Each structure stands twice: as structure tokens, then as C-alpha cells.
């Protein structure tokens, strides 16, 4: 059974930092693309960052480039999202997801193929 469990969310002031973690289990971790997506109240879910766990491409949304860094620890089957210089507009529920593939087109990050999702961790940034 595939499980993705996020942690690390919380409330910080603008300009602060948070690091999200996603512990993955139940599938061959190194064979997937994993990513972070977020959904703010009243808005559609958007891709924030993605990475091929077997090595290779990473993708970032324009809104987080230079501030967020996606990384992984294959030995721990864990995905991370380091978020710096946080802004109030980064407030959202952040979801970890894994898919057979991922890409970035027209500014949108998306997964394709069979995919799996965590339950999310809430990030709240105050001004």
C-alpha cells in the first residue's frame, strides 16, 4: 500500500523559513517523479516543485524559484521542500505526490500516469 506522509507545516511570519518532509513507502521510490503541490483557500491546486527521484530534472513554479528548493534522501525514501523568504501568498495546504512521470509546460507542473497523494500539511504565513 502506497503511503505518502507529509510533515513540517506550521505558522511563521513573512520572511521566515520552513522545511516540509514527505515520507514515502509502499512503492519503488527511485522510479517515480515526486512533487509538492499546494492549494490555497478558494484557489486551484498548483504544482510547486517536482523532482525525478532516480536523478535528473527538477521543476519549479515561477512563483517559488529562488526561494524554494526540492530535494530528496533516497536512503530514507523522503522528499523535502525547503522554503525560504516565505510570503503570505505561500499560505496553503501543501501536498506531497508521486507519479510515474512529471513535466512542466506553460508554467504548470503536473504529474502523469498512476499517481499517489498525501493528506497534506498546512503552511500559514502571516504578514
Amino acid at each position: 500500500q502506497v503511503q505518502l506522509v507529509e510533515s513540517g507545516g506550521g505558522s511563521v511570519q513573512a520572511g521566515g523559513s520552513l522545511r516540509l518532509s514527505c515520507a514515502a513507502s509502499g512503492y519503488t521510490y527511485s522510479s517515480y517523479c515526486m512533487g509538492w503541490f499546494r492549494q490555497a483557500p478558494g484557489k486551484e491546486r498548483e504544482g510547486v516543485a517536482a523532482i525525478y527521484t532516480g536523478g535528473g530534472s527538477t521543476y519549479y513554479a515561477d512563483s517559488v524559484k529562488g526561494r524554494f528548493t526540492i530535494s530528496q534522501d533516497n536512503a530514507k525514501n523522503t522528499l523535502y521542500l525547503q522554503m525560504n523568504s516565505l510570503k503570505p501568498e505561500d499560505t496553503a495546504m501543501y501536498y506531497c505526490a508521486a507519479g510515474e512521470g512529471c513535466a512542466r509546460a506553460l508554467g504548470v507542473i503536473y504529474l502523469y500516469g498512476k499517481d499517489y497523494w498525501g493528506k497534506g500539511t498546512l503552511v500559514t504565513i502571516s504578514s
Side-chain angles (χ1 to χ4, degrees), residues 20-41:
L20 305 183
S21 299
C22 172
S25 62
Y27 66 98
T28 305
Y29 179 81
S30 61
S31 301
Y32 277 74
C33 180
M34 295 196 70
W36 291 96
F37 293 74
R38 66 185 182 187
Q39 187 166 22

Side-chain angles (χ1 to χ4, degrees), residues 1-2 4 6-7 11 29 34 38 52-54 60 78 87 93-94 97 108-110 113 116:
Q1 183 180 357
V2 176
L4 300 173
E6 304 95 335
S7 61
S11 299
Y29 179 81
M34 295 196 70
R38 66 185 182 187
Y52 273 96
T53 56
Y60 290 95
T78 301
K87 304 176 180 180
M93 185 70 80
Y94 282 71
V108 176
I109 296 172
Y110 62 93
Y116 306 96

Side-chain angles (χ1 to χ4, degrees), residues 42-126:
K43 295 188 176 181
E44 292 188 355
R45 187 174 62 195
E46 64 171 345
V48 175
I51 185 170
Y52 273 96
T53 56
S57 301
T58 56
Y59 307 94
Y60 290 95
D62 287 341
S63 59
V64 306
K65 276 182 183 176
R67 300 189 300 122
F68 290 11
T69 303
I70 190 169
S71 63
Q72 59 181 342
D73 184 334
N74 284 354
K76 296 181 179 179
N77 285 3
T78 301
L79 181 74
Y80 302 100
L81 185 68
Q82 178 66 45
M83 306 187 294
N84 299 327
S85 302
L86 284 160
K87 304 176 180 180
E89 50 264 43
D90 294 319
T91 294
M93 185 70 80
Y94 282 71
Y95 299 92
C96 174
E100 292 181 348
C102 59
R104 183 177 185 273
L106 299 177
V108 176
I109 296 172
Y110 62 93
L111 301 177
Y112 57 83
K114 190 170 182 62
D115 58 4
Y116 306 96
W117 293 82
K119 294 182 178 180
T121 185
L122 183 62
V123 172
T124 304
I125 311 302
S126 57

